[in-house]
């Protein structure tokens, strides 16, 4: 097994309600420095789904793009109002995680900022010099 699939499997075990239906053919498309951030986000989504038990989240992609976390999921539920409320709460959590990721090294998790080295990445000076 690769490091990426091991990391994803660990998150699936920790957050089965959120990731049980996840269709992630490319696995986690971000570095291990964001694993804690992902765990925090998944915990928030799990909490939201607990508040809206008739709703489900279908995670379809987790990746880095333009130096920040991108987390794509679809929220489903039969009651439109409750589904919409759950989707809005999840969207707020995802936006917050995206902002935090732009200040967190994708490789090691230390404080950082987005760097433009031809591609936008978020890596700390120590990881940049590697």
């Amino acid at each position: 097994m690769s490091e990426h699939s091991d990391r994803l499997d660990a998150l699936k075990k920790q957050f089965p309600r959120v990731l049980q239906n996840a269709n992630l053919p490319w696995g986690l498309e971000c570095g291990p420095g964001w694993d804690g951030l992902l765990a925090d986000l998944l915990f928030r989504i799990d909490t939201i789904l607990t508040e809206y038990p008739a709703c489900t989240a279908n995670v379809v992609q987790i990746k880095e793009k333009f130096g920040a976390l991108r987390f794509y999921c679809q929220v489903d539920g039969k009651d439109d109002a409750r589904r919409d409320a759950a989707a809005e709460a999840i969207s707020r959590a995802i936006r917050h995680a995206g902002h935090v990721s732009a200040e967190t090294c994708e490789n090691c998790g230390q404080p950082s900022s987005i760097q433009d080295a031809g591609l936008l990445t978020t890596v700390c000076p120590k990881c940049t010099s590697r």
Side-chain angles (χ1 to χ4, degrees):
M1 287 193 126
S2 73
E3 172 195 346
H4 287 286
S5 63
D6 289 347
R7 292 170 44 226
L8 180 56
D9 288 345
L11 289 171
K12 283 182 174 182
K13 286 178 186 170
Q14 194 173 359
F15 302 101
R17 181 193 340 248
V18 181
L19 295 174
Q20 67 184 346
N21 297 320
N23 180 15
L24 301 169
W26 297 282
L28 296 177
E29 299 176 78
C30 60
W34 288 352
D35 285 358
L37 175 63
L38 280 173
D40 290 345
L41 173 58
L42 292 166
F43 177 81
R44 287 180 183 198
I45 293 173
D46 187 65
T47 301
I48 293 164
L49 292 175
T50 300
E51 295 170 13
Y52 297 92
C55 294
T56 60
N58 182 23
V59 179
V60 294
Q61 191 170 34
I62 302 171
K63 68 178 186 176
E64 175 277 331
K65 184 174 183 178
F66 301 125
L69 176 68
R70 299 295 191 262
F71 187 101
Y72 301 102
C73 75
Q74 177 181 351
V75 179
D76 294 314
K78 292 182 181 179
D79 181 322
D80 290 348
R82 294 192 58 75
R83 181 198 62 229
D84 292 349
E88 178 54 36
I90 290 170
S91 291
R92 280 194 305 271
I94 291 169
R95 283 192 302 273
H96 174 75
H99 292 304
V100 173
S101 71
E103 300 174 347
T104 305
C105 178
E106 185 182 358
N107 295 328
C108 71
Q110 293 299 308
S112 186
S113 62
I114 294 178
Q115 309 294 317
D116 185 355
L119 293 173
L120 296 176
T121 60
T122 304
V123 292
C124 68
K126 183 178 177 181
C127 290
T128 300
S129 65
R130 287 185 196 172

